Amino acid sequence: MKPYDIFLCYKKSSGKDFAEHLKSGLEELGLHTFIDSKDIPQMLDGKEEWAKIRNKAIQESKFFILLITPGFDLSSEVITELGIARKKGDKQFIY
C-alpha cells in the first residue's frame, strides 16, 4: 500500500466528524490521508494489531495534523500518537 501523505490525529468524541470531512477534502486534493476510523479495518483481533497499523501510518506519513478540539490534550491516544510522530523526527507538524 502507498504510504500516507497525512496522518490526522484527533480526539474521537470531539473531532471525529470534522476529521472525516477533512480527510475527504484532502483526498479530493490528491493527498493520501489516514484516519483510524476509515483506514483501520473494523474486524481486527485486538488492540495490538490496531496499534501496529496506526503506528506504521504515523511513521510513513509526511505530515502530522493535530486537530485541537475540546479535551484533545486529555486523550491518551492523542498523546501516544503525538509522541510517536515526534520520535520519528522527520514530520511536518500542523496544529
Side-chain angles (χ1 to χ4, degrees):
M1 175 179 251
K2 169 183 149 183
Y4 292 95
D5 297 308
I6 297 171
F7 182 94
L8 289 180
C9 178
Y10 63 97
K11 180 172 173 62
K12 284 182 182 39
S13 63
S14 60
K16 184 176 184 231
D17 290 340
F18 181 75
E20 289 178 354
H21 288 291
L22 182 57
K23 174 186 171 64
S24 294
L26 292 168
E27 294 275 343
E28 286 178 17
L29 294 172
L31 297 166
H32 191 41
T33 304
F34 177 93
I35 64 171
D36 58 357
S37 65
K38 298 284 185 186
D39 297 306
I40 296 179
Q42 299 299 315
M43 303 260 206
L44 293 180
D45 289 334
K47 178 83 171 156
E48 187 175 307
E49 190 176 354
W50 181 92
K52 184 178 175 182
I53 293 168
R54 181 222 32 213
N55 295 354
K56 184 176 186 224
I58 293 171
Q59 292 170 348
E60 292 180 348
S61 65
K62 298 172 193 160
F63 296 93
F64 183 94
I65 296 178
L66 174 60
L67 300 181
I68 298 175
T69 59
F72 83 96
D73 56 331
L74 303 175
S75 168
S76 62
E77 287 301 322
V78 168
I79 292 167
T80 297
E81 291 170 1
L82 191 54
I84 292 167
R86 284 185 172 153
K87 283 181 189 173
K88 182 70 174 147
D90 64 348
K91 300 274 172 271
Q92 294 287 328
F93 286 87
I94 302 169
Y95 301 97

